[in-house]
Amino acid sequence: MRAIVQTAYGDPGVLELTEDRPDPEPGPGEVRIRVRAAGVNPTDWKHRAAPLFVDRLPLVLGWDVAGIVDQVGYGVTILEEGDEVFGMLPYPHGVGGYAEYVLAPARSMVRKPENIDFVQAAALPLASLTAWQALNDTAHVSVGQRVLIQGAAGGVGHLAVQIAARLGAKVIGTASEQDLEYVRELGATEALDYHTADIRALKDVDAALVPFTGDARLDSLSTLRRDGNFVTLARTEPGGPEERLAAERGVRYKTLLVQSDHAGMQVIADMARSGALRAKIHDALPLSQAAEAHRLGEAGQIDGKLVLVV
Ligand SMILES: NC(=O)c1ccc[n+]([C@@H]2O[C@H](COP(=O)([O-])OP(=O)(O)OC[C@H]3O[C@@H](n4cnc5c(N)ncnc54)[C@H](OP(=O)(O)O)[C@@H]3O)[C@@H](O)[C@H]2O)c1
């Protein structure tokens, strides 16, 4: 089969198209998916550049997939050959979506709504699951709460704004000036330019989702009410300034690493079906241009999600 394989860590040039990788065979509980589109996320280029959570070569990247089930392993009852599905492969070790075929635990996938195409479906899973697991499962966001979403026009953020709004929250989103109107259109009640606004002026925020480190994280922490929920997507130094500030202020501080999640994917599929959740697509490139997709993404030259068409 065709796949993008890397045999070394390094710059995007290590991503090479091969035509002769063996077709995988599904084991117990697995389905084989004929991949039609594979989403590209920042974690892909981080894993390409150096060992992160996964340290094995040769490596096929890609956690986000949308495609058609073409073989079903022993014991799988919820999917059948021919089903159009999408989902996130088990993060981090189940990676391998930049390929013609990939194996997935059946319950990492759900049926793709008919009203979204494979490109849209491949753009959604990892970033939407991150937002859902942060806002719903971790911060328990409920109707009427004030929720701060940093990076609200980004890959995770633009989906998080839609999800938080769907949960009935009043969303405060941060973005660059040119994206503020877009963030309001996504459902935010307030949009702040993160280059100029003093985030610390916000008070009594119930929950915050912050993908970044540094001042953005510390400043966001100071906006939360006592017993508020703070979710970070980046590593925190144990006992460092963030944990100290959270303890001082009585804020619940959690670091989230996204997980494969059947129930979460079902919610995402339902929201996509109803039109409440839609990924902004920057571009869909052929699989052979995976290296170019990484170059664009890594250089921050994208506005929305990048998807590889297989
Ligand atoms: N832990 C996990 O499970 C998990 C899951 C998903 C993602 N992540 C991580 O979360 C980060 C964001 O991912 P993504 O897909 O959303 O990336 P992305 O698509 O590159 O989006 C980042 C967005 O954040 C904005 N931004 C940058 N610095 C900011 C700041 N200081 N304050 C507010 N906004 C800021 C950028 O705006 P401008 O371009 O206008 O500057 C951009 O719109 C990445 O590091 C990724 O690896 C972690």
Side-chain angles (χ1 to χ4, degrees), residues 41-43 45-46 91 126-127 130 150-157 174-176 178-179 194-195 211-213 216 232-234 256-259 297 300 302 304-305:
N41 290 288
T43 191
W45 52 79
K46 293 177 190 172
Y91 189 89
L126 186 148
T130 303
Q150 290 269 24
V156 172
T174 67
S176 292
Q178 72 273 11
D179 290 323
Y194 78 84
H195 301 279
F212 317 108
T213 54
T232 176
L233 302 180
L256 179 114
L257 191 64
V258 65
Q259 289 189 9
I302 53 169
K305 303 284 299 177

Side-chain angles (χ1 to χ4, degrees), residues 38-45 64 98 123 127 151-158 175-176 178-179 182 194 279-285 289-308:
V40 179
N41 290 288
T43 191
D44 298 18
W45 52 79
D64 275 343
Y98 293 5
V156 172
H158 83 297
S176 292
Q178 72 273 11
D179 290 323
Y182 167 62
Y194 78 84
K280 184 173 187 181
I281 306 295
H282 175 80
D283 206 356
L285 299 170
Q289 289 184 29
E292 177 59 11
H294 276 223
R295 270 183 212 107
L296 291 169
E298 225 169 350
Q301 291 170 345
I302 53 169
D303 182 17
K305 303 284 299 177
L306 280 166
V307 174
L308 300 171

Side-chain angles (χ1 to χ4, degrees), residues 151-171:
V156 172
H158 83 297
L159 298 164
V161 173
Q162 296 173 66
I163 289 172
R166 187 69 174 178
L167 289 169
K170 294 182 187 123
V171 180

